[in-house]
Coordinates of all heavy atoms in Angstrom, one line a residue:
K258 N 7.8 5.6 21.7 CA 7.0 4.9 20.7 C 7.6 5.0 19.3 O 8.5 5.7 19.0 CB 5.6 5.7 20.6 CG 4.8 5.8 21.9 CD 4.3 4.4 22.3 CE 3.5 4.6 23.6 NZ 2.9 3.2 24.0
E259 N 7.2 4.0 18.5 CA 7.7 4.0 17.1 C 7.0 5.2 16.3 O 6.0 5.7 16.7 CB 7.3 2.7 16.4 CG 8.1 1.5 17.0 CD 7.8 0.3 16.2 OE1 6.8 0.3 15.4 OE2 8.5 -0.7 16.4
R260 N 7.7 5.6 15.3 CA 7.2 6.6 14.4 C 5.9 6.1 13.8 O 5.8 4.9 13.2 CB 8.2 7.0 13.3 CG 7.8 8.2 12.5 CD 9.0 8.7 11.7 NE 10.0 9.2 12.6 CZ 11.1 9.8 12.1 NH1 11.3 10.0 10.8 NH2 12.1 10.2 13.0
E261 N 4.9 6.9 13.8 CA 3.5 6.5 13.4 C 3.0 7.3 12.2 O 3.2 8.5 12.2 CB 2.6 6.7 14.6 CG 1.1 6.5 14.3 CD 0.2 6.9 15.5 OE1 0.7 7.8 16.2 OE2 -0.9 6.4 15.6
F262 N 2.5 6.6 11.3 CA 1.8 7.3 10.1 C 0.7 8.1 10.6 O -0.2 7.7 11.4 CB 1.4 6.2 9.1 CG 0.5 6.8 8.0 CD1 1.1 7.5 7.0 CD2 -0.9 6.6 8.1 CE1 0.2 8.0 6.0 CE2 -1.7 7.1 7.1 CZ -1.1 7.8 6.0
V263 N 0.6 9.3 10.0 CA -0.6 10.2 10.3 C -1.4 10.4 9.1 O -2.6 10.2 9.1 CB 0.0 11.6 10.9 CG1 -1.2 12.5 11.1 CG2 0.7 11.3 12.2
S264 N -0.7 10.8 8.0 CA -1.5 11.2 6.8 C -0.6 11.3 5.6 O 0.6 11.5 5.7 CB -2.2 12.6 7.0 OG -3.1 12.9 5.9
T265 N -1.1 11.1 4.4 CA -0.4 11.2 3.2 C -1.3 11.8 2.2 O -2.5 11.7 2.2 CB 0.1 9.8 2.7 OG1 1.0 10.0 1.6 CG2 -1.0 8.9 2.4
I266 N -0.6 12.5 1.2 CA -1.3 13.1 0.1 C -0.5 12.8 -1.2 O 0.7 13.0 -1.2 CB -1.5 14.6 0.3 CG1 -2.3 15.2 -0.8 CG2 -0.2 15.3 0.5 CD1 -2.8 16.6 -0.5
S267 N -1.2 12.4 -2.2 CA -0.6 12.0 -3.5 C -0.3 13.2 -4.3 O -0.7 14.3 -4.0 CB -1.4 11.0 -4.2 OG -2.5 11.7 -4.9
W268 N 0.3 13.0 -5.4 CA 0.6 14.1 -6.3 C -0.6 14.7 -6.9 O -0.6 15.9 -7.4 CB 1.6 13.7 -7.4 CG 1.1 12.8 -8.5 CD1 0.4 11.7 -8.3 CD2 1.1 13.1 -9.9 NE1 0.1 11.1 -9.5 CE2 0.5 12.0 -10.5 CE3 1.6 14.1 -10.7 CZ2 0.4 11.9 -11.9 CZ3 1.5 14.0 -12.0 CH2 0.9 12.9 -12.6
K269 N -1.7 13.9 -6.9 CA -3.0 14.4 -7.4 C -3.9 14.8 -6.3 O -5.1 14.9 -6.5 CB -3.6 13.4 -8.3 CG -2.9 13.1 -9.6 CD -3.6 12.2 -10.5 CE -2.9 12.0 -11.9 NZ -3.6 11.1 -12.8
S270 N -3.4 14.9 -5.1 CA -4.1 15.3 -3.9 C -5.1 14.3 -3.4 O -6.0 14.7 -2.6 CB -4.8 16.7 -4.1 OG -3.8 17.7 -4.4
S271 N -4.9 13.1 -3.7 CA -5.7 12.0 -3.0 C -5.1 11.9 -1.6 O -3.9 12.0 -1.4 CB -5.6 10.7 -3.7 OG -6.2 10.8 -5.0
T272 N -6.0 11.7 -0.6 CA -5.5 11.8 0.8 C -5.9 10.5 1.5 O -6.9 9.8 1.2 CB -6.1 13.0 1.5 OG1 -7.6 12.9 1.5 CG2 -5.7 14.3 0.9
Y273 N -5.2 10.2 2.6 CA -5.4 9.1 3.4 C -5.0 9.4 4.8 O -4.0 10.1 5.0 CB -4.6 7.8 2.9 CG -4.9 6.6 3.7 CD1 -6.0 5.8 3.4 CD2 -4.1 6.2 4.8 CE1 -6.3 4.6 4.2 CE2 -4.4 5.1 5.5 CZ -5.4 4.3 5.2 OH -5.7 3.2 6.0
Y274 N -5.7 8.9 5.8 CA -5.5 9.3 7.2 C -5.5 8.1 8.1 O -6.2 7.1 7.9 CB -6.6 10.2 7.7 CG -6.6 11.5 7.0 CD1 -7.5 11.6 5.9 CD2 -5.9 12.6 7.4 CE1 -7.6 12.8 5.2 CE2 -5.9 13.8 6.7 CZ -6.8 13.9 5.6 OH -6.9 15.1 4.9
A275 N -4.6 8.1 9.1 CA -4.7 7.1 10.1 C -6.1 7.2 10.8 O -6.6 8.3 10.9 CB -3.6 7.3 11.1
E276 N -6.6 6.1 11.3 CA -7.9 6.1 11.9 C -7.9 7.0 13.2 O -8.9 7.5 13.4 CB -8.3 4.6 12.3 CG -8.7 3.7 11.1 CD -9.9 4.2 10.4 OE1 -10.8 4.7 11.1 OE2 -10.0 4.1 9.2
S277 N -6.8 7.1 13.8 CA -6.7 7.9 15.1 C -6.9 9.4 14.8 O -7.3 10.1 15.8 CB -5.4 7.6 15.8 OG -4.3 8.0 14.9
V278 N -6.7 9.8 13.6 CA -6.8 11.3 13.3 C -7.9 11.6 12.3 O -8.2 12.8 12.0 CB -5.5 11.9 12.8 CG1 -4.4 11.6 13.8 CG2 -5.2 11.4 11.4
K279 N -8.5 10.6 11.7 CA -9.5 10.8 10.7 C -10.7 11.6 11.2 O -11.2 11.3 12.3 CB -10.0 9.4 10.2 CG -10.9 9.5 9.0 CD -11.3 8.1 8.4 CE -10.1 7.4 8.0 NZ -10.5 6.0 7.5
G280 N -11.1 12.6 10.4 CA -12.1 13.5 10.9 C -11.7 14.7 11.7 O -12.4 15.6 11.8
R281 N -10.4 14.6 12.1 CA -9.9 15.8 12.9 C -8.8 16.5 12.2 O -8.6 17.7 12.4 CB -9.4 15.3 14.3 CG -10.5 14.6 15.1 CD -10.0 14.3 16.5 NE -8.8 13.3 16.5 CZ -7.6 13.6 16.9 NH1 -7.3 14.7 17.4 NH2 -6.7 12.6 16.8
F282 N -8.0 15.7 11.4 CA -6.8 16.3 10.7 C -7.1 16.4 9.2 O -7.8 15.5 8.7 CB -5.6 15.4 10.9 CG -5.0 15.5 12.3 CD1 -5.6 16.0 13.4 CD2 -3.8 14.9 12.5 CE1 -5.1 16.0 14.6 CE2 -3.2 14.8 13.7 CZ -3.9 15.4 14.8
T283 N -6.6 17.3 8.6 CA -6.7 17.5 7.1 C -5.3 17.8 6.5 O -4.7 18.8 6.9 CB -7.7 18.6 6.7 OG1 -8.9 18.3 7.3 CG2 -7.8 18.7 5.2
I284 N -4.9 17.0 5.6 CA -3.7 17.2 4.9 C -4.0 17.9 3.5 O -5.0 17.7 2.9 CB -2.9 16.0 4.6 CG1 -1.4 16.2 4.1 CG2 -3.6 15.0 3.7 CD1 -0.6 15.0 4.1
S285 N -3.1 18.8 3.1 CA -3.3 19.5 1.8 C -1.9 19.9 1.3 O -0.9 19.8 2.1 CB -4.2 20.7 2.0 OG -3.6 21.7 2.9
R286 N -1.9 20.2 0.1 CA -0.6 20.7 -0.5 C -0.8 21.8 -1.5 O -1.9 21.9 -2.1 CB 0.1 19.5 -1.2 CG -0.6 19.0 -2.5 CD 0.0 17.7 -2.9 NE 1.4 17.8 -3.3 CZ 2.3 16.8 -3.4 NH1 1.9 15.5 -3.1 NH2 3.5 17.0 -3.8
D287 N 0.2 22.7 -1.5 CA 0.2 23.8 -2.4 C 1.4 23.7 -3.2 O 2.6 24.0 -2.8 CB 0.2 25.1 -1.7 CG 0.1 26.3 -2.6 OD1 0.4 26.2 -3.8 OD2 -0.4 27.4 -2.1
N288 N 1.3 23.1 -4.4 CA 2.5 22.8 -5.3 C 3.2 24.1 -5.7 O 4.4 24.0 -5.9 CB 2.1 22.0 -6.5 CG 1.7 20.5 -6.1 OD1 2.1 20.0 -5.0 ND2 0.9 19.9 -6.9
A289 N 2.4 25.1 -5.9 CA 3.1 26.4 -6.3 C 4.0 26.9 -5.2 O 5.0 27.6 -5.5 CB 2.0 27.5 -6.6

């Protein structure tokens, strides 16, 4: 399969998810 987008998080922690994982996956970041 081709590489598939799962999730992204902006520098201000806005998030976006592929429909296939929405509600099941959570992306987060710890800049420190």
